[in-house]
Amino acid sequence: MSIFLILLVAVLIVFGVPDIRRSLISKPVFRVFKKILPPMSATEREAMEAGDVWWDGELFSGRPDWFKLLNTKPHGFSAEEQAFIDGPLEELLAMLDDFKINTEGHDLPPEVWAHLRKHRFFAMIIGKEYGGLDFSATANSHIVSRIATRSLSAAVTVMVPNSLGPGELLTHYGTMEQKEHWLPALAKGDEIPCFALTGPEAGSDAGGIPDTGVVCKGTFNGEEVVGIKLNWSKRYITLAPVATVLGLAFKLYDPEQLLGEQEEIGITCALIPTSHDGVEIGDRHLPLMQAFMNGTTYGKDVFIPLDWIIGGVKYAGKGWRMLVECLSAGRGISLPALATATGHNVQRFTGAYAFVRQQFGLPIGKFEGVQEAMGRIGGLNYSIESMRRLTLTALDEGYSPSVITAMTKYHMTEMGRQVLNDGLDVHAGKGIQMGPLNYLASNYMGIPISITVEGANILTRNLMIFGQGATRCHPYVLAEMEAAANPDEEAGLRNFDQLLIKHIGFAVSNTFASLWHGLTGARFANAPVGGETIRYYQQLSRMSRALALCADVSMLTMGGDLKRKEMISARLGDVLSHLYIGSAILKRFEDDGRQVADLPFVHYAMQLQLHLIGQAFRGFFKNFPNPWLGRLLSVLVFPWGNRYDKPADAHAQAIADSMMEPGVLRDRHTFLSYWKDDEEDVTGHMELAFTHMVANIELFKKVYKAQKQGVLDSNLNGDALVQAAVAEEVISTEEGEKLAVAERLRLRAIAVDSFAAEAMKSGRYQTQPLR
C-alpha cells in the first residue's frame, strides 16, 4: 500500500508541477512530435485551414451533444423562393425533354436558354443589390434537385454558375469595380461564366498546375502597363463552349519583382472575357453523351492587366485558399443535389414499376429478391435526403464545413450510384432501352460524372475526409501542430504543454469509455429521446468514442506515415462519415415529427450505417500495421465481438410495400420528383398506370382469377382481355370501361422504345408506335 501511495504522489508531482512536467514529459514529447509531424505543402495547409468545423467536431470529440444537434432547426423557403419554385421553376420543368436534349442538337433548346436567362436561374448566389436572387442554400439545392429529376443536362447548366465559379468568387473576394461590372451582367445572363481549373496534367493536385502567369510589362488599350502574360491549357470545363467570361486558375511568377520581393507568388485567379485577344475556346467534350456544355480552353502569351486578378493585386497568390473556401460550400450543394434527384426518382418510379409489372399474377415487388433491392433503394434514399438536409442546415447557418461537405459529396453520390444500380436491376429491360419512355438511363449515364468531378471520389475518401478531419475536427491536434510550428520554441513548448495534458486526459477518457460502452452495449450512454431510436443514439455515441481513441492511437504510432497509409486512414474516415449520416437520419426523423410510418426506413438506414461502421473498424483492426495493437484496440472497442449486422429483412419488406402504395408517405419521400399528368410523358406514363392499377386492383384480381380458372385465355391482354372479361360476365360493362383505361396504361408503362432503322441512321430517333 505504501509503495502505491509513493507512486501516486510521484505521478501527481510529475503531472501537477508545470516546470517538472515540461522538463520530464512535455519537452521530450514535443521533440518527438515535431519529428513525426507529417510534411505539409502550402496547398495542403491552405486546404486544412479553410472552412469551418461543425457537427463533425462533435463526432470527433467522443461525446457528441445530441441536444445541440436536435435544437438546430432546418431552414425553410422565403416567400420569394417559394414563388420562384411554384412559378419559373415549374414552367422550366414543363419545357424539358431530356431525351431530345441529349439526341437532337445536343444542347438545351433556345427557348430553355431564354427562360433561364429571363428568370435569373444563373443568379441564385448573387446578391440582390447586383440583380441576383440571393437564395438560400436550401432553395438552391431544391431547385437544382428538382430540375435534375427532369433533365441532368439542364440541372448541370444551372448548377455550375451557382457553385464554384466567377459569381461566387467575385461575391466573396472581388473588388468593388469588379462586382459592379460583372455581377449585374452575370445575374441577367448577359454573361455566361465558366471556371477553368483542371488541365491535362493537373486534376486533384492543384499544386501541380502547369499553367503560368508571369508579371511583366505589356500593352493594353494602347498603353504600356504592368500586367500578366498567361499560358494555359484546360479541359473538362463546364460551360466553356458557351462562356463569355473565363475564370482562370494559374501559378503566378514575378521574376522581375515588379510587385515586390517575392518571385514565386503562387496560385492566382483571374477573370478574362473570352473575346479577349488570344483566348481560345476549344472543342467540346461529351461527358457520357450528356448535353450540358463542357470543353477545352487554352491560351498562349495572353497579356491581361493586373486588375483582372479576382480581388485585385492583394489577392495574387491567394487563389487556392479562395477556391477551397468556395468549393467547400458548393460541394455540399451541387452534386449532392443531383444524387438526391436520383434517389427521389428511383424510389418513386421503381415502386410504381414494381407494382405495374406483374409475373405469375403478382406484382414483381412482392417477390423477396426484388424487395431486397427495393429496401436498399428506400433506405438509401432516406439517408441521402437526410444527409442533404443536415448539410444545408450548416450552410444556411453561415458555416463552410469543408470536411462535412467532402463527406456529403462522396457518400451521397456513391449512395446515388447504388440506388440507380438497384433501380435498373428491378426495371431490367425496361431500364436499359434508351428512348422517350426511359426515365432512368440518362441519370445512370450521368452518375459517374458526379463521382468524378469536384474532387474524384477515390481521392476524396482516401485523402480528404480523414486527412482533413483528423486535424481539423480533433479538439487538440491542430493547436498542437501550430505550437510545434511556432518559431519561438519556448513559447511553443508552453502552449504544447497545456495542450498535451488535456490531450492525455482526452485519450484516457476515451479508452475507458470505449471499453465501458463495449462491455455494457452502450446502454448507459446518454440519448436525447426515448422510444425506438434511443439505442441508435447510444450506439453512435459509443462509436464516436471509438473513433476518437483509434484516431489518437493511429496518429501517435504512425505519425507522418499515416498520411500515406490511405487504406487505414480512409477506414477511419468511413467511420466519421457514417456517424455523420446516422446523425442526419436521426435528426430528420425528429424534424419530421417522429412519423411512425417512417420507422422501417429509419431502422433500415440506421442498421446499415452501424453495419458499415463495424465493417470499417473490422478492416482497420485487421490491417493495423502493429498487429498486437490492432487486436488490443479491437478488444477495447468490441469486447464481445463486432455485432453490427446488416438491416433486417422485415424492414426491407416493409419499405418495398410502402413504395407500392400511393399516398402521403410515398409523396413525402419523393417530393422532389417531377411527374406530368400525361401518359405520353416520360414520367406520366408510369405514374398514371400505377395509380389506375391501384384504384382498380379488385378488377385485376377478378380477371387474374378467371384466367387461372381457365374462364379467360391467359394470353389475352389490353382491349381483347377486357372484351372477353365482359363477355364472360367476369366484370360488368361499367367495370370494363375502367379496366380498359387501366390496362391500356399498364401496357404503355411496361412498353419500351423501338426505332425505325432509317430514322436511327438519320439521327432523328423517332420512336415507333406501340404494338
Side-chain angles (χ1 to χ4, degrees):
M1 188 66 179
S2 59
I3 295 175
F4 174 76
L5 288 174
I6 292 170
L7 290 173
L8 179 61
V9 170
V11 169
L12 291 174
I13 291 173
V14 169
F15 281 92
V17 179
D19 289 340
I20 297 176
R21 182 181 67 236
R22 276 198 295 271
S23 177
L24 296 180
I25 298 176
S26 299
K27 193 169 186 177
V29 173
F30 188 55
R31 289 172 179 167
V32 172
F33 185 80
K34 294 183 75 169
K35 287 182 180 179
I36 67 173
L37 198 65
M40 189 176 297
S41 67
T43 53
E44 286 177 313
R45 178 170 293 280
E46 288 178 338
M48 192 72 68
E49 293 173 351
D52 304 307
V53 175
W54 191 59
W55 182 246
D56 46 341
E58 289 287 328
L59 293 173
F60 226 104
S61 73
R63 302 178 65 181
D65 185 347
W66 296 109
F67 291 100
K68 177 180 178 181
L69 178 70
L70 297 186
N71 287 334
T72 304
K73 300 303 178 186
H75 288 241
F77 301 132
S78 69
E80 289 178 76
E81 291 169 343
Q82 190 64 60
F84 186 91
I85 289 167
D86 294 338
L89 176 60
E90 287 301 306
E91 293 166 11
L92 171 66
L93 297 175
M95 299 168 70
L96 298 174
D97 184 327
D98 197 50
F99 183 72
K100 285 186 177 180
I101 289 170
N102 287 327
T103 56
E104 297 180 11
H106 226 71
D107 189 7
L108 302 181
E111 60 271 20
V112 172
W113 277 106
H115 186 84
L116 295 176
R117 286 186 169 97
K118 177 182 177 181
H119 295 286
R120 311 203 172 196
F121 276 83
F122 302 138
M124 288 189 282
I125 63 171
I126 295 175
K128 292 180 181 178
E129 66 273 26
Y130 299 107
L133 299 176
D134 198 19
F135 281 174
S136 63
T138 297
N140 186 342
S141 172
H142 179 97
I143 291 164
V144 173
S145 296
R146 191 120 164 92
I147 298 171
T149 69
R150 190 66 164 157
S151 168
L152 181 65
S153 291
V156 172
T157 302
V158 171
M159 174 189 90
V160 169
N162 292 295
S163 184
L164 175 65
E168 187 166 13
L169 290 169
L170 285 169
T171 297
H172 287 89
Y173 309 106
T175 65
M176 187 57 65
E177 292 79 9
Q178 289 172 341
K179 291 178 180 180
E180 290 177 349
H181 175 77
W182 288 113
L183 290 179
L186 289 169
K188 289 187 290 186
D190 292 342
E191 302 283 358
I192 299 296
C194 70
F195 192 85
L197 174 62
T198 306
E201 299 290 345
S204 298
D205 179 17
I209 290 176
D211 313 286
T212 61
V214 177
V215 179
C216 61
K217 293 180 180 180
T219 302
F220 181 73
N221 288 341
E223 297 181 8
E224 185 179 72
V225 298
V226 176
I228 303 170
K229 183 182 289 185
L230 291 167
N231 286 278
W232 76 89
S233 176
K234 304 286 190 177
R235 65 181 180 184
Y236 309 148
I237 311 305
T238 300
L239 294 187
V242 294
T244 61
V245 57
L246 169 71
L248 184 69
F250 55 91
K251 282 185 176 177
L252 184 62
Y253 299 90
D254 185 11
E256 299 180 47
Q257 298 184 342
L258 297 175
L259 300 182
E261 298 180 358
Q262 191 174 359
E263 291 189 18
E264 293 189 13
I265 295 177
I267 295 174
T268 301
C269 298
L271 207 56
I272 310 167
T274 57
S275 60
H276 185 62
D277 287 345
V279 176
E280 298 287 345
I281 300 297
D283 294 334
R284 279 186 67 178
H285 297 305
L286 285 178
L288 292 173
M289 299 305 291
Q290 298 299 299
F292 63 87
M293 291 292 171
N294 187 273
T296 63
T297 176
Y298 51 93
K300 181 174 176 59
D301 294 337
V302 178
F303 184 79
I304 66 170
L306 286 173
D307 58 9
W308 285 8
I309 295 174
I310 297 176
V313 176
K314 69 178 182 179
Y315 277 96
K318 298 180 180 179
W320 182 237
R321 178 67 177 261
M322 294 158 61
L323 291 170
V324 171
E325 289 178 344
C326 288
L327 182 60
S328 67
R331 187 187 280 127
I333 298 172
S334 55
L335 296 172
L338 304 187
T340 305
T342 295
H344 282 235
N345 260 8
V346 174
Q347 180 171 337
R348 187 172 191 90
F349 296 117
T350 302
Y353 182 76
F355 186 86
V356 170
R357 185 73 171 94
Q358 311 249 326
Q359 292 278 268
F360 310 108
L362 285 173
I364 62 170
K366 294 295 183 181
F367 294 94
E368 290 193 359
V370 175
Q371 288 179 333
E372 183 178 11
M374 292 175 71
R376 273 196 303 271
I377 290 170
L380 288 175
N381 183 43
Y382 194 90
S383 304
I384 289 170
E385 175 62 24
S386 302
M387 199 175 192
R388 182 182 79 100
R389 293 188 194 184
L390 185 56
T391 301
L392 292 173
T393 296
L395 295 173
D396 278 329
E397 292 248 324
Y399 292 96
S400 183
S402 55
V403 176
I404 281 178
T405 54
M407 293 189 293
T408 298
K409 186 269 177 178
Y410 170 75
H411 285 279
M412 286 182 66
T413 54
E414 291 293 344
M415 288 189 286
R417 173 153 58 180
Q418 180 64 63
V419 165
L420 261 175
N421 285 338
D422 284 322
L424 277 172
D425 283 353
V426 174
H427 281 77
K430 170 73 175 176
I432 64 172
Q433 301 302 332
M434 298 286 283
L437 294 178
N438 194 319
Y439 41 73
L440 294 181
S442 181
N443 271 31
Y444 183 76
M445 294 290 287
I447 195 69
I449 300 171
S450 297
I451 300 292
T452 301
V453 300
E454 287 193 13
N457 275 7
I458 288 178
L459 294 181
T460 299
R461 174 179 179 263
N462 288 277
L463 295 178
M464 289 182 61
I465 294 175
F466 186 77
Q468 283 186 274
T471 305
R472 289 304 312 276
C473 304
H474 195 287
Y476 305 111
V477 167
L478 184 59
E480 289 170 337
M481 291 174 67
E482 291 172 346
N486 192 333
D488 183 343
E489 187 162 337
E490 186 60 33
L493 175 59
R494 285 195 299 271
N495 292 336
F496 185 83
D497 173 66
Q498 296 298 317
L499 293 165
L500 180 63
I501 295 304
K502 295 177 182 177
H503 197 153
I504 291 173
F506 176 73
V508 170
S509 171
N510 287 326
T511 301
F512 285 103
S514 293
L515 179 59
W516 170 248
H517 285 326
L519 291 171
T520 62
R523 293 187 179 278
F524 299 101
N526 291 328
V529 300
E532 292 193 39
T533 59
I534 184 174
R535 297 288 293 132
Y536 298 131
Y537 286 98
Q538 292 172 327
Q539 291 301 322
L540 291 184
S541 292
R542 172 189 175 188
M543 290 298 100
S544 173
R545 286 282 196 179
L547 172 64
L549 168 64
C550 292
D552 264 345
V553 172
S554 298
M555 288 186 283
L556 177 65
T557 58
M558 284 181 268
D561 288 338
L562 183 58
K563 180 179 175 180
R564 291 174 287 277
K565 296 287 187 181
E566 295 176 20
M567 294 183 184
I568 292 293
S569 63
R571 291 185 178 104
L572 292 178
D574 289 342
V575 174
L576 177 62
S577 297
H578 295 302
L579 284 170
Y580 180 73
I581 300 171
S583 302
I585 292 164
L586 295 174
K587 177 163 171 55
R588 176 185 175 184
F589 182 64
E590 296 299 321
D591 289 342
D592 285 351
R594 301 175 64 85
Q595 299 284 333
V596 174
D598 287 349
L599 280 172
F601 294 85
V602 174
H603 286 308
Y604 187 101
M606 287 304 305
Q607 289 172 17
L608 177 61
Q609 297 310 312
L610 289 172
H611 174 69
L612 293 172
I613 288 172
Q615 279 190 320
F617 269 132
R618 185 178 288 111
F620 172 81
F621 298 139
K622 182 178 179 180
N623 295 282
F624 200 78
N626 187 323
W628 73 263
L629 188 53
R631 288 193 290 271
L632 175 61
L633 287 170
S634 179
V635 171
L636 285 172
V637 175
F638 296 108
W640 307 118
N642 189 335
R643 298 183 179 182
Y644 289 144
D645 294 326
K646 290 183 177 180
D649 292 345
H651 300 318
Q653 291 173 314
I655 289 171
D657 287 341
S658 72
M659 287 170 61
M660 295 186 290
E661 294 178 5
V664 174
L665 175 62
R666 179 171 180 261
D667 290 341
R668 280 197 300 108
H669 285 211
T670 61
F671 67 90
L672 287 168
S673 292
Y674 177 88
W675 71 276
K676 195 173 184 179
D677 191 5
D678 178 357
E679 64 182 89
E680 297 300 318
D681 185 78
V682 64
T683 56
H685 81 285
M686 184 59 67
E687 187 73 15
L688 291 171
F690 173 58
T691 55
H692 276 75
M693 283 191 68
V694 171
N696 294 283
I697 188 62
E698 295 303 321
L699 299 183
F700 279 99
K701 287 180 178 179
K702 288 181 182 181
V703 170
Y704 292 152
K705 182 178 179 181
Q707 287 179 319
K708 284 184 178 181
Q709 293 174 342
V711 176
L712 297 176
D713 186 341
S714 60
N715 293 317
L716 292 177
N717 60 31
D719 288 340
L721 175 62
V722 174
Q723 291 168 8
V726 172
E728 294 294 335
E729 298 183 348
V730 174
I731 57 177
S732 67
T733 302
E734 183 181 351
E735 290 174 329
E737 293 173 355
K738 294 178 181 180
L739 184 62
V741 175
E743 181 68 356
R744 175 174 55 78
L745 290 169
R746 182 186 73 84
L747 292 175
R748 177 73 174 169
I750 65 173
V752 298
D753 294 288
S754 61
F755 304 95
E758 291 303 315
M760 292 188 72
K761 287 180 182 178
S762 66
R764 292 193 303 271
Y765 290 98
Q766 183 176 351
T767 188
Q768 295 282 70
L770 294 176
R771 290 194 275 272

